[in-house]
């Protein structure tokens, strides 16, 4: 285990030194957290990264890309070592911040802080709705978890507060937020900018809050994740870590975003008794990941496929519906709908939308969304009543006046193959610009 964590850290440092840019602080501080998550909990098959019922992991602290790429490589994803050597180079599979559709195992494009949290909430909403819609006794075809790693900066963003507040209100279970709490951000200690009581804040929003005092205690991190999985509300795990742990500038903002340089990296490797060759991948680390993460994912994937075959026989119609969602096939030819209402009339568009949306919703089970407290004006409402903890089959989301999170949540639902929508007045779309930009660049 120790060797594997070292390997994650040193691959990350080598990548950052090679690119002469990147963020070593989170690599050194949070490596054991990701180790614990991937090895003991995250269930996903690296050989089938698009498996629909995989657990999702969102790296909201997108500046930790080198950490994620190192883990993905060691965990057996199709991310060759040569691509790690091309970190931050044009055209490589390892851009400076993770990009969806570009690197296997990357679930969303992140980097603008806070967006990953919002998308994870959308993802968990989609999972919850689909779980209740599709599962039948003995057929848990949808039952995965949504994990997020966020930093101090993520939590300072307005979009995070909006999204976390809504997720708490909805009582979303199977959403597990892991906070790399190192009390340091880019410009200095977090205490220069924030002084709220995080436990009280999270608990008041409806979260199951836990504190882990040392990120290096992999077992304790794992136990916290395990108990987070058991509760029927969203979970928040604050994990104390030391930014840039082991480096000369550990515990300071200087190590947040400046490469250590080859000399210091070499020194750290020597101190740890680790092979000093650049980009060294230890067989022990590969075997370690294979034994736990790899095997667990492979077995779960094959078990799920068998389950799906039986589901096909027991519930052919639901199965066909699920297949449509998996294949992002909306199951409707939009051209057929034109016949219902010829183009060219003078009706206000919101009136037309209000007429069409229910019709479309009947035909497209994946259509789900709502408004930022403006449904009464825009006529944009999801079918089947409100989505809530008690009524998870409802397809109308009351986003509240939270436009920014609405954009991020719609992105997260879309990443889970729903045809998600949100509405408000056009002028307020300014509040949604960052998620709209991300939606545009996610392939
Ligand atoms: C919206 C947004 N604003 C600013 C940044 C630039 N930025 C990247 S990381 C960071 C500091 C984040 O601090 P923290 O989350 O605590 O990360 P750590 O320093 O602990 O790695 C900042 C300001 C960003 N990526 N996104
Ligand atoms: Mg921090």
């Amino acid at each position: 285990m120790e060797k594997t964590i070292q390997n994650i850290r040193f691959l990350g440092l080598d990548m950052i030194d090679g690119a002469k840019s990147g963020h070593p602080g989170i690599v050194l501080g949070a490596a054991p957290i990701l180790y614990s998550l991937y090895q003991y909990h995250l269930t996903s098959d690296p050989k089938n990264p698009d498996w629909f019922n995989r657990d999702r992991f969102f790296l909201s602290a997108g500046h930790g890309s080198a950490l994620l790429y190192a883990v993905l490589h060691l965990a057996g994803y199709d991310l060759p070592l040569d691509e790690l050597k091309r970190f931050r180079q044009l055209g490589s599979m390892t851009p400076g911040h993770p990009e969806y559709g570009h690197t296997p195992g990357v679930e969303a494009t992140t980097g603008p802080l806070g967006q990953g949290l919002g998308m994870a909430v959308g993802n968990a909403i989609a999972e919850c709705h689909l779980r209740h819609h599709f599962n039948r006794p003995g057929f848990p075809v949808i039952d995965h978890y949504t994990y997020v790693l966020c930093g101090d900066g993520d939590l300072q963003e307005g979009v995070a507060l909006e999204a976390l507040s809504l997720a708490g209100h909805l009582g979303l279970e199977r959403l597990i937020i892991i906070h790399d709490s190192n009390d340091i951000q880019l410009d200095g200690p977090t205490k220069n900018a924030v002084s709220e009581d995080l436990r009280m804040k999270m608990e008041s929003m409806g979260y199951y809050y836990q504190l882990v005092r040392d990120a290096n205690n992999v077992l304790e991190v794992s136990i916290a994740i395990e108990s987070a999985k058991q509760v029927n509300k969203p979970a928040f795990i604050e994990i104390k870590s030391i930014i840039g742990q082991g480096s000369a500038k550990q515990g300071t903002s200087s190590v947040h975003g400046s490469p250590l340089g080859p000399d210091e990296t070499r020194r750290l490797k020597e101190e740890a008794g680790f092979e000093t060759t650049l980009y060294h991948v230890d067989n022990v680390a590969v075997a370690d990941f294979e034994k736990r993460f790899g095997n667990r994912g492979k077995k779960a994937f094959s078990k799920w496929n068998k389950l799906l075959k039986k589901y096909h026989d027991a519930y052919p119609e639901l199965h066909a519906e699920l297949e449509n969602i998996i294949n992002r096939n909306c199951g409707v030819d939009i051209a057929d709908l034109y016949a219902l209402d010829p183009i060219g009339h003078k009706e206000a568009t919101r009136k037309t939308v209000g007429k069409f949306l229910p019709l479309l919703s009947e035909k497209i089970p994946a259509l789900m969304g709502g408004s930022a407290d403006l449904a009464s004006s825009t006529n944009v409402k999801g079918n089947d009543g409100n989505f809530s903890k008690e009524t998870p089959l409802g397809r109308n989301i009351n986003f509240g006046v939270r436009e920014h999170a609405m954009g991020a949540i719609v992105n997260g639902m879309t990443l889970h193959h729903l045809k998600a929508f949100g509405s408000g007045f056009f002028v307020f779309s300014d509040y949604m610009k960052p998620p709209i930009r991300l939606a545009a660049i996610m392939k």
Side-chain angles (χ1 to χ4, degrees), residues 26 63 111-113 151-154 157 182 184-186 243 256:
I26 185 171
H63 59 285
L113 295 172
D152 304 301
D154 281 293
E157 287 290 354
N182 55 26
I184 295 290
Q185 57 193 102
L186 196 150
I243 190 168
H256 158 87

Side-chain angles (χ1 to χ4, degrees), residues 9-301:
R9 285 186 168 126
F10 294 134
L11 270 179
L13 292 187
D14 284 344
M15 290 164 69
I16 293 165
D17 287 341
K20 296 195 175 65
S21 82
H23 298 79
I26 185 171
V27 173
L28 288 168
I33 301 177
L34 276 207
Y35 178 87
S36 186
L37 174 64
Y38 272 73
Q39 285 287 63
Y40 298 108
H41 299 282
L42 194 87
T43 301
S44 185
D45 181 1
K47 302 300 173 218
N48 294 283
D50 296 329
W51 169 33
F52 197 65
N53 195 36
R54 69 191 182 279
D55 286 343
R56 310 299 201 269
F57 171 65
F58 290 82
L59 181 68
S60 197
H63 59 285
S65 55
L67 170 62
L68 179 58
Y69 299 147
V71 168
L72 293 178
H73 174 74
L74 292 173
Y77 284 84
D78 186 14
L79 181 60
L81 194 62
D82 277 345
E83 290 296 330
L84 264 51
K85 294 179 183 169
R86 295 173 66 212
F87 181 51
R88 286 184 165 242
Q89 305 310 304
L90 200 61
S92 77
M93 285 169 78
T94 49
H97 293 76
E99 293 182 21
Y100 176 73
H102 196 75
T103 317
V106 168
E107 299 286 1
T109 297
T110 51
L113 295 172
Q115 295 297 327
L117 275 166
M119 287 189 276
V121 169
N123 195 86
I125 289 176
E127 188 276 335
C128 177
H129 174 72
L130 294 174
R131 172 160 34 92
H132 286 90
H133 184 81
F134 285 110
N135 287 3
R136 293 292 179 273
F139 289 96
V141 288
I142 308 286
D143 65 348
H144 70 80
Y145 290 89
T146 301
Y147 297 99
V148 200
L149 182 70
C150 69
D152 304 301
D154 281 293
L155 294 170
Q156 291 165 11
E157 287 290 354
V159 64
L161 185 69
E162 292 178 19
L164 292 174
S165 160
L166 183 59
H169 168 73
L170 292 171
L172 280 181
E173 70 266 6
R174 291 177 174 264
L175 171 65
I176 300 178
I177 297 159
I178 302 174
H179 170 207
D180 176 33
S181 175
N182 55 26
D183 301 323
I184 295 290
Q185 57 193 102
L186 196 150
D187 272 347
T190 52
K191 68 174 180 340
N192 291 345
V194 67
S195 48
E196 62 211 13
D197 183 318
L198 199 50
R199 173 190 282 269
M200 285 170 70
K201 176 178 165 183
M202 297 314 300
E203 285 180 349
S204 75
M205 287 197 290
Y207 284 73
Y208 171 52
Y209 169 97
Q210 296 175 85
L211 175 68
V212 174
R213 283 172 207 287
D214 180 5
N216 297 298
N217 193 333
V218 169
L219 186 64
E220 214 181 297
V221 171
S222 175
I223 290 169
I225 296 174
E226 187 55 44
S227 40
K229 285 155 95 173
Q230 310 302 329
V231 294
N232 62 354
K233 50 177 165 176
F236 186 92
I237 310 176
E238 177 176 5
I239 304 181
K240 292 317 261 187
S241 72
I242 300 172
I243 190 168
Q245 185 187 310
S247 68
K249 292 176 176 162
Q250 71 166 14
T252 72
S253 60
S254 315
V255 72
H256 158 87
S258 324
L260 300 190
D263 292 344
E264 187 174 3
T265 298
R266 194 185 169 87
R267 176 180 72 75
L268 290 188
K269 287 179 186 170
E270 282 168 358
E271 270 176 24
F274 195 83
E275 172 68 51
T276 53
T277 318
L278 291 180
Y279 303 101
H280 175 71
V281 171
D282 206 291
N283 291 336
V284 171
V286 174
D288 188 18
F289 264 112
E290 172 76 29
K291 191 172 140 204
R292 298 183 198 284
F293 173 74
N295 273 337
R296 188 176 60 250
K298 197 167 145 186
K299 274 193 206 138
F301 177 68

Side-chain angles (χ1 to χ4, degrees), residues 5 10 12 30 56 161 168 191 250 303 306 321 325 438:
I5 297 172
F10 294 134
R56 310 299 201 269
L161 185 69
K191 68 174 180 340
Q250 71 166 14
K303 193 172 157 201
K306 284 183 196 134
E321 213 184 275
I325 291 181
L438 284 183

